[in-house]
Amino acid sequence: MDSEALVQLALETLSCSQKDLAIRLGVSPTQISKWKKGEHMSYDMADKISAIANIGHKDPSFVVWAGSLEAAIKWEKLIHFLAEVADDAAETGYNTDPLRDDLDLLCWHTFYTLRKMGVDLPKTFPNDLDIDYEEDPDKLWDLIEKNPYSSLIYKIYKSFTNVYGFYIAYVYEVVFDDELELWEAVGCDIDSCLLELAAAKIDIEGIKELATNFQEFKHLTTKNYEEWLNVVKERAFRGGVPLRAELLSMVYGTDEELGNNAESESLGLNSSRLHPDIYMNELLCGMRMIHQVLPAIMKKLGMDDEFTLDTSELRIK
């Protein structure tokens, strides 16, 4: 919970000073100042201030970024509508659970990602998007596609369905393998930053002026996932856990490629496929077995002293 945003909303709602707010909460003015600087706030106090600010379960940062509670409600309605449409249109064969927003994180995460991309959110909710989402579909989508913010959010969600499908198909079980102990090392980062990875894959042609920090955002996101997924690959190899796909495809592949890959997996079309790392592991295991067994066989046959390996015969002529 963002303590700074919560205090800001409470002060704006009550139109009071920090001293007045401190008296109402039964704390010192110094404590209010500490919260405004980001100091941790207890859940009980956060609930108390959320009630004062009348924001319910909405993330305080999301409300501040939206500009007002009224605007936050409208953004939330639009975001959930776009998420539902994107999830319904997904073709990976996997549900995109974060878009269903059971944890009430989607609105905050969407705005957080947009801000990292350099998108300057409007100070008020766009009038052209203040519409009835039950009206004529053609007219509705015409409005959504023309608005740069709604069209950008939908592009991110469409990309996210493909990225998330690949993640569930090939990465999820490895990350949550208790023996590999990956969750605390990199798994939590991989799981929680998937929306940013999806956003980094979209085509921003035509909206470059909107996402002013996109290239830096894409570079940093890509770099992070390269590091995280290489850790997963290394531990999986050491732990003898087979990988059914090249995990770095999640970084270098387009969202459509990831979606097609996930769909093939969900349909069972990849059931007999093994990633090259698995073949290499099988070869290494076979070679280790030969190294252990062959000397014993040669000794049994009495060949261990007289045998000399002619390496020239191993070369391809």
Side-chain angles (χ1 to χ4, degrees):
M1 187 67 73
D2 188 338
S3 57
E4 181 182 357
L6 260 180
V7 170
Q8 178 180 335
L9 290 172
L11 291 171
E12 291 175 356
T13 301
L14 297 175
S15 298
C16 68
S17 66
Q18 289 186 201
K19 182 178 180 181
D20 292 334
L21 179 60
I23 292 172
R24 177 157 183 168
L25 296 174
V27 299
S28 68
T30 302
Q31 183 60 64
I32 298 294
S33 297
K34 288 181 179 179
W35 285 333
K36 287 194 68 176
K37 293 179 181 179
E39 184 179 275
H40 174 73
M41 180 184 294
S42 70
Y43 288 111
D44 289 341
M45 184 59 70
D47 288 341
K48 189 173 182 178
I49 300 179
S50 294
I52 291 174
N54 195 32
I55 63 172
H57 294 294
K58 292 179 177 56
D59 188 284
S61 296
F62 169 63
V63 178
V64 169
W65 293 338
S68 68
L69 178 59
E70 180 183 4
I73 293 172
K74 293 178 180 179
W75 277 113
E76 183 179 52
K77 184 178 179 182
L78 173 64
I79 285 172
H80 284 157
F81 173 78
L82 296 175
E84 181 179 356
V85 174
D87 187 34
D88 288 343
E91 298 179 349
T92 64
Y94 299 94
N95 294 328
T96 315
D97 291 333
L99 291 183
R100 301 184 179 193
D101 204 22
D102 293 335
L103 299 177
D104 292 325
L105 295 174
L106 183 61
C107 292
W108 173 86
H109 204 173
T110 300
F111 271 26
Y112 174 78
T113 301
L114 291 174
R115 286 165 63 87
K116 289 184 70 175
M117 294 170 67
V119 177
D120 188 12
L121 296 165
K123 298 187 182 303
T124 58
F125 187 78
N127 289 329
D128 54 322
L129 295 177
D130 195 3
I131 54 180
D132 180 6
Y133 296 107
E134 300 298 327
E135 66 179 43
D136 180 69
D138 294 333
K139 179 182 178 182
L140 175 64
W141 277 105
D142 184 53
L143 292 171
I144 288 175
E145 289 178 353
K146 286 182 178 178
N147 184 280
Y149 300 101
S150 55
S151 62
L152 175 57
I153 292 172
Y154 186 68
K155 280 184 179 180
I156 293 173
Y157 290 170
K158 283 289 292 178
S159 174
F160 185 56
T161 62
N162 291 324
V163 171
Y164 192 78
F166 185 93
Y167 168 71
I168 292 298
Y170 299 111
V171 184
Y172 179 85
E173 289 188 1
V174 182
V175 164
F176 279 91
D177 188 314
D178 291 337
E179 294 185 3
L180 298 181
E181 298 182 343
L182 278 165
W183 179 251
E184 291 187 1
V186 294
C188 183
D189 292 323
I190 292 172
D191 187 272
S192 63
C193 296
L194 289 170
L195 191 65
E196 287 102 293
L197 181 61
K201 293 182 179 296
I202 67 170
D203 180 8
I204 63 164
E205 196 63 37
I207 56 171
K208 292 180 180 179
E209 295 181 358
L210 188 64
T212 57
N213 195 46
F214 182 77
Q215 292 305 325
E216 183 178 344
F217 163 77
K218 181 175 182 177
H219 172 73
L220 180 59
T221 302
T222 300
K223 179 176 178 292
N224 286 338
Y225 268 92
E226 285 175 344
E227 293 177 358
W228 298 337
L229 290 172
N230 274 321
V231 171
V232 174
K233 290 180 63 176
E234 181 183 356
R235 291 202 185 181
F237 178 75
R238 290 181 178 179
V241 176
L243 303 176
R244 296 186 55 77
E246 171 50 69
L247 301 192
L248 287 176
S249 295
M250 198 162 85
V251 179
Y252 307 128
T254 65
D255 72 278
E256 290 185 359
E257 290 171 344
L258 299 185
N260 291 336
N261 218 324
E263 182 180 18
S264 296
E265 183 69 22
S266 70
L267 293 174
L269 301 180
N270 293 339
S271 58
S272 61
R273 187 186 73 174
L274 290 177
H275 182 265
D277 285 350
I278 301 173
Y279 291 126
M280 181 59 69
N281 185 58
E282 290 179 347
L283 287 172
L284 290 174
C285 289
M287 291 171 62
R288 293 187 186 108
M289 184 178 295
I290 291 173
H291 276 292
Q292 293 179 37
V293 174
L294 190 57
I297 294 176
M298 294 179 67
K299 185 175 182 179
K300 185 75 172 178
L301 296 176
M303 299 172 55
D304 52 320
D305 292 331
E306 62 186 53
F307 179 78
T308 302
L309 179 65
D310 185 356
T311 56
S312 65
E313 294 296 323
L314 300 178
R315 299 191 183 96
I316 298 176
K317 297 179 180 179

